[in-house]
Amino acid sequence: MATIKDIAKMAGVSHGTVSNVLNGRGNVSVKKIKLVEQAAQALGYQLNLQAKFLKQGTTKTISVLLPNITAEQYADLYDGLFSYLNRLGYGLTLYLTYDSKEFELQLIQEIAVKRDYAVIVVSALDSAQSYYQTLKVDKEKIIFVYRKPKSALKFISLDFEKAGHDIACEMIKNNYRHIGLFSNSDQHTHSQSFKKGLEQTFKQQNYRVEINCITSIPSNSTYNLSFNFFANEQVEYDAIITMDMERAHFVRNANYFGSLQSCPPIYTLTNHSFFYENHFYQYHMNYGILSRQIANLIEDQPVTLPENKGFTLLPDSLPHDKTNDGDTVNFLILPSPSTQAVVKLLPHFSKISGINVNLIVKPFDEIYHILNHIEHHQYLDIIRIDMAGLPWFAPSIFKPLSELQIDLSNIFTRYTPEIIDRFSYVNNIAYALPFDPSVQMLFYRKDLFDDPLIKRAYFEQFRQQLDVPANFADFNQISAFFNRQQNGESQVEFGSCFTSGNDELIASEFLVRYYAQGGKLFNQPQPQLDTAIALTTLTQLHSFIKLAKNINATWWQDSVKLFEQGKLAMLIVYMNLFSCINHRNILPLVGYAKVPGNKPLFGGGSLGVSKYSQKDAAIKSFFEWLYSPEISEQIALLGGATAQNSIFQNQRIINSYPWLTVAKQQYANGIRENSIKGKAVNLRCVENIIGNYLSKWMAKQYDSKQVIDLINDEIKKQYC
């Protein structure tokens, strides 16, 4: 077997150098690292990771013990744990106990040799002492979930008592008296809490009810037990309550195969996402989001338990206003992922409302032409308007939303104040509803930034650590480092790209850098660039353009494709345009952060009602449907952008678009200067002026000072 001495001899380096390389420490050059790695590979040497862990003591590993991963409650828990903790640098090992106390005790002995940093467990044991006595883990880092054994110090769960209360209220509302309950074992804490919520609510309401309770743990026998509800054909249930979707399916199967009765309505606890099931009334819990709070416990961060989402009831046939049957609402909209999602969902709205929605999909420039000549397009009812143009156009083309008699306060509570302020109001009048709000973000190849060899090479070249850039000077430097023409060892072709297919894109590239330098458009009573800051920005932008991949495209999709293909190390783009990446192989390699300088541009748009529309009742129905939590969730699942607060509490959506949590924080820093002290500005015109002259600057028709003066002069002509 090869030894460190053999590797040192073959590589031509010292024993200490080999030890440092194999253990990932020390000030070792890239050249020597490669020599050691090549020698170790040639000799078939494998580092004994277990021995390394024992030397180092505690590691960044976490053991997770669950009864199974077939029940969605546990599958979602582990999925969320892996998502959150893996991003924090922890490695997870999953163990399944199958609710066997004896097997769980064996696993504790196996885990004891690992010296984990933390242990997360849904335990079948009566006491926590076996964990405390056996594991060399800080007791505060042994976290019990859902079930609380005796003497457990750290326990976390969801509000199952409230779930029981809410379902009991549904039973009372529907006058259900004979109820079946298919629950977990009475020994489990969350099952006890759920039953307590049910029973106390019935008692407090003096509501007489007969409950037939069947308890089980998830196992093969659970399916057999479900048939007991229908063993006596003389007994009929008004409703059956189950504690998870698996039991709900078992009950429905038992009714189908084992009973002559029709299936009673089934009320079940389930995860946060809605999936239509006939006869099922789903009460949504935040199984996955609980994982975030467990991660906070491990990281010693504040913990806020997520609220239950509650009922989502979308049966096939909902009552609607028959007077609206046959109405057609004409909806002008941009092509986008959000538009594609709405197209897929519109049949549901037509089915429940009797109203047709005619989507008129037009490109960005054509929509602006229509807005400028709205009197020639009086057939339009709803118009999607870019947020940059909202203050300029809204008072002249839209009617105030108050005329629809829609419950605006209810809708607005679903968004952050920054979104409502920028996407709805003009001069304190609500003209529009947020449709697909977006904000710029930095996406980067996390695997490259975390690679020890790449990090060492970067340090050797710049004498700095390779970190996510916090400013554009670092962004340019990293872009140069990953440019293969300048660094033949780069694993990607370019550090980043510059999209320059139209004036607005060029203006966007300039403005995000200009704002990062502290610049403003409104330094005077009219829009105007600060000359000193603008010149500094152009110097920085010029350096970037020389080393970036130049893409002559009219939108950013081509840039995103390049990133997806592994040709870019970094990309600044509006986050809603990145949604197509969610199902691709590159997603696990993607990191995401605020833009350098933390002054991102706002993007996306809102929906307003044309002042010529006479279909207020139909539009009100459409908006109430479109902005419901259920449909917003579906839009997000289909790749659209909604920015409703509930989206950030949906683990399935967060797993597909993990950057949403950072995007929500970025909304507070978003910039798009579309008004001066309450006076609207035609921002698109300003941005076109900036982009048009900068394109000439890029073509070397003007120097930097000339082009800034020309931009300011042209803006002055428009606003003086």
Side-chain angles (χ1 to χ4, degrees):
M1 178 179 175
T3 65
I4 289 179
K5 182 178 179 181
D6 298 326
I7 296 172
K9 183 177 180 181
M10 177 176 282
V13 299
S14 69
H15 294 182
T17 297
V18 175
S19 177
N20 286 338
V21 172
L22 295 179
N23 288 282
R25 63 173 183 261
N27 186 22
V28 185
S29 70
V30 171
K31 180 179 178 181
K32 289 182 178 180
I33 291 173
K34 289 182 176 179
L35 288 171
V36 171
E37 289 182 342
Q38 290 168 0
Q41 186 176 7
L43 294 170
Y45 182 91
Q46 291 185 342
L47 179 64
N48 187 336
L49 292 177
Q50 189 63 41
K52 178 183 174 184
F53 291 160
L54 291 174
K55 288 179 183 178
Q56 293 177 343
T58 302
T59 67
K60 287 202 76 171
T61 62
I62 296 175
S63 290
V64 181
L65 292 88
L66 300 176
N68 61 72
I69 52 171
T70 57
E72 63 178 1
Q73 181 178 359
Y74 305 134
D76 288 351
L77 176 66
Y78 181 74
D79 193 41
L81 288 172
F82 182 86
S83 177
Y84 289 114
L85 293 171
N86 185 255
R87 290 178 216 148
L88 295 172
Y90 294 96
L92 271 65
T93 304
L94 174 64
Y95 299 87
L96 301 182
T97 68
Y98 299 100
D99 266 320
S100 165
K101 295 180 180 180
E102 294 76 12
F103 190 38
E104 186 174 338
L105 291 170
Q106 291 178 29
L107 292 176
I108 294 173
Q109 296 294 329
E110 182 179 330
I111 292 169
V113 301
K114 290 175 53 187
R115 298 191 180 182
D116 285 316
Y117 181 75
V119 173
I120 302 165
V121 55
V122 179
S123 181
L125 302 181
D126 299 323
S127 170
Q129 288 304 316
S130 295
Y131 284 90
Y132 298 145
Q133 294 170 1
T134 308
L135 302 182
K136 296 179 180 179
V137 177
D138 182 349
K139 292 181 180 180
E140 295 290 316
K141 303 299 182 185
I142 301 175
I143 300 170
F144 294 91
V145 187
Y146 292 132
R147 309 172 185 176
K148 186 178 183 181
K150 293 178 182 176
S151 68
L153 297 178
K154 285 289 183 180
F155 170 71
I156 190 168
S157 187
L158 295 171
D159 197 343
F160 284 90
E161 185 173 336
K162 185 177 188 305
H165 165 79
D166 292 346
I167 290 179
C169 289
E170 285 295 310
M171 300 296 103
I172 296 171
K173 185 173 73 175
N174 289 286
N175 198 31
Y176 293 153
R177 299 284 181 174
H178 190 200
I179 298 168
L181 173 60
F182 203 9
S183 73
N184 297 86
S185 170
D186 287 339
Q187 298 177 355
H188 299 160
T189 311
H190 67 304
S191 183
Q192 295 169 6
S193 298
F194 182 72
K195 287 185 178 179
K196 179 181 177 182
L198 277 173
E199 293 167 355
Q200 283 191 346
T201 303
F202 290 136
K203 183 177 180 181
Q204 291 169 358
Q205 298 293 325
N206 294 317
Y207 187 80
R208 295 182 58 187
V209 64
E210 182 181 347
I211 301 178
N212 176 28
C213 182
I214 296 176
T215 61
S216 71
I217 58 175
S219 66
N220 291 334
S221 65
T222 305
Y223 184 58
N224 287 328
L225 288 172
S226 65
F227 280 76
N228 292 347
F229 285 106
F230 307 104
N232 185 351
E233 288 289 344
Q234 304 304 313
V235 177
E236 293 189 11
Y237 294 96
D238 295 324
I240 294 178
I241 302 169
T242 72
M243 284 196 67
D244 56 55
M245 189 64 80
E246 182 180 51
R247 285 177 175 79
H249 285 131
F250 287 170
V251 169
R252 190 167 63 179
N253 265 27
N255 173 265
Y256 180 76
F257 288 111
S259 176
L260 297 173
Q261 303 173 13
S262 60
C263 188
I266 299 171
Y267 289 74
T268 183
L269 303 187
T270 186
N271 65 11
H272 196 275
S273 297
F274 173 81
F275 289 96
Y276 178 78
E277 293 274 0
N278 193 26
H279 300 302
F280 286 5
Y281 293 81
Q282 301 170 37
Y283 185 91
H284 297 272
M285 308 290 285
N286 265 314
Y287 298 143
I289 296 298
L290 181 65
S291 308
R292 183 190 299 175
Q293 304 309 321
I294 295 172
N296 287 347
L297 275 177
I298 290 171
E299 291 280 288
D300 298 318
Q301 298 296 317
V303 173
T304 304
L305 292 182
E307 296 180 0
N308 302 343
K309 178 182 175 183
F311 280 107
T312 300
L313 302 176
L314 289 176
D316 273 340
S317 180
L318 294 177
H320 63 263
D321 185 354
K322 296 291 185 180
T323 61
N324 291 328
D325 280 2
D327 274 358
T328 296
V329 173
N330 292 312
F331 183 178
L332 178 64
I333 194 168
L334 274 172
S336 72
S338 297
T339 301
Q340 294 170 9
V342 171
V343 168
K344 294 171 183 175
L345 297 170
L346 280 177
H348 179 261
F349 176 66
S350 296
K351 181 167 54 178
I352 67 170
S353 69
I355 300 168
N356 299 314
V357 176
N358 176 35
L359 283 187
I360 304 169
V361 183
K362 298 291 184 181
F364 192 79
D365 288 341
E366 193 167 340
I367 287 182
Y368 264 92
H369 177 77
I370 292 172
L371 295 179
N372 280 311
H373 302 88
I374 191 66
E375 66 278 4
H376 301 310
H377 302 274
Q378 298 185 22
Y379 59 90
L380 294 173
D381 299 300
I382 300 172
I383 300 172
R384 188 272 188 197
I385 185 170
D386 193 80
M387 67 86 60
L390 182 66
W392 182 257
F393 287 105
S396 61
I397 69 170
F398 292 151
K399 61 177 67 177
L401 292 177
S402 58
E403 294 185 16
L404 296 181
Q405 297 183 338
I406 196 169
D407 188 353
L408 289 178
S409 61
N410 185 34
I411 293 178
F412 286 167
T413 57
R414 300 168 189 167
Y415 295 90
T416 62
E418 296 85 7
I419 294 293
I420 295 302
D421 182 54
R422 301 307 303 279
F423 287 79
S424 294
Y425 281 95
V426 177
N427 295 328
N428 297 318
I429 298 174
Y431 282 102
L433 294 174
F435 177 62
D436 53 358
S438 188
V439 69
Q440 286 177 320
M441 289 184 62
L442 170 66
F443 296 91
Y444 63 95
R445 284 283 298 276
K446 188 174 183 292
D447 58 320
L448 301 181
F449 277 71
D450 290 344
D451 187 292
L453 197 61
I454 293 175
K455 291 172 76 73
R456 180 62 197 176
Y458 186 84
F459 180 81
E460 286 184 5
Q461 183 172 345
F462 299 108
R463 294 298 161 184
Q464 294 177 7
Q465 297 298 322
L466 176 59
D467 294 316
V468 178
N471 57 64
F472 277 102
D474 288 344
F475 182 83
N476 284 5
Q477 183 170 285
I478 294 170
S479 295
F481 174 74
F482 281 112
N483 185 315
R484 195 172 288 165
Q485 292 180 345
Q486 299 192 31
N487 174 13
E489 299 292 322
S490 177
Q491 296 184 27
V492 291
E493 290 186 38
F494 294 93
S496 191
C497 67
F498 181 82
T499 306
S500 57
N502 65 43
D503 294 341
E504 286 157 305
L505 299 187
I506 296 172
S508 174
E509 295 278 5
F510 170 80
L511 286 172
V512 68
R513 291 165 171 81
Y514 176 74
Y515 287 132
Q517 303 293 322
K520 294 182 178 180
L521 276 179
F522 303 147
N523 294 289
Q524 304 293 332
Q526 70 277 343
Q528 180 175 309
L529 296 177
D530 181 295
T531 300
I533 295 176
L535 288 172
T536 302
T537 303
L538 286 185
T539 300
Q540 193 181 77
L541 184 60
H542 182 259
S543 298
F544 173 68
I545 292 172
K546 288 194 300 183
L547 53 88
K549 171 67 174 176
N550 197 304
I551 302 175
N552 186 19
T554 58
W555 211 240
W556 283 282
Q557 280 91 340
D558 289 353
S559 306
V560 174
K561 286 181 181 178
L562 274 182
F563 186 91
E564 178 192 338
Q565 293 165 2
K567 297 181 180 180
L568 303 176
M570 301 181 295
L571 177 65
I572 294 175
V573 71
Y574 287 101
M575 62 90 177
N576 64 315
L577 299 175
F578 214 72
S579 61
C580 61
I581 297 294
N582 76 315
H583 62 286
R584 307 303 173 91
N585 294 333
I586 200 173
L587 182 59
L589 309 179
V590 175
Y592 37 88
K594 60 189 180 183
V595 298
N598 199 22
K599 297 292 183 182
L601 299 184
F602 261 132
S606 307
L607 302 184
V609 181
S610 169
K611 65 182 182 181
Y612 295 108
S613 176
Q614 302 297 316
K615 302 172 184 174
D616 289 3
I619 294 170
K620 177 177 182 289
S621 296
F622 177 68
F623 279 170
E624 288 174 343
W625 171 82
L626 185 66
Y627 288 93
S628 67
E630 297 86 358
I631 298 304
S632 289
E633 175 184 292
Q634 293 299 312
I635 289 173
L637 288 170
L638 291 168
T642 73
Q644 283 201 13
N645 293 329
S646 60
I647 301 305
F648 305 104
Q649 294 293 316
N650 187 308
Q651 185 60 37
R652 187 159 172 253
I653 293 171
I654 294 298
N655 282 352
S656 296
Y657 315 104
W659 49 85
L660 286 177
T661 51
V662 176
K664 185 179 182 182
Q665 299 167 6
Q666 286 293 84
Y667 290 142
N669 300 316
I671 296 177
R672 210 68 184 277
E673 294 181 271
N674 52 13
S675 63
I676 306 174
K677 297 181 179 179
K679 182 181 179 181
V681 171
N682 190 341
L683 185 58
R684 184 168 185 262
C685 176
V686 173
E687 291 178 347
N688 277 333
I689 291 170
I690 293 172
N692 179 261
Y693 278 102
L694 288 182
S695 67
K696 296 175 182 177
W697 167 78
M698 291 164 56
K700 300 183 179 179
Q701 295 180 27
Y702 304 110
D703 64 28
S704 296
K705 180 64 167 62
Q706 287 174 325
V707 81
I708 297 303
D709 290 342
L710 286 168
I711 288 172
N712 283 338
D713 287 344
E714 188 65 30
I715 293 175
K716 187 176 181 180
K717 290 178 186 177
Q718 294 290 329
Y719 289 93
C720 291

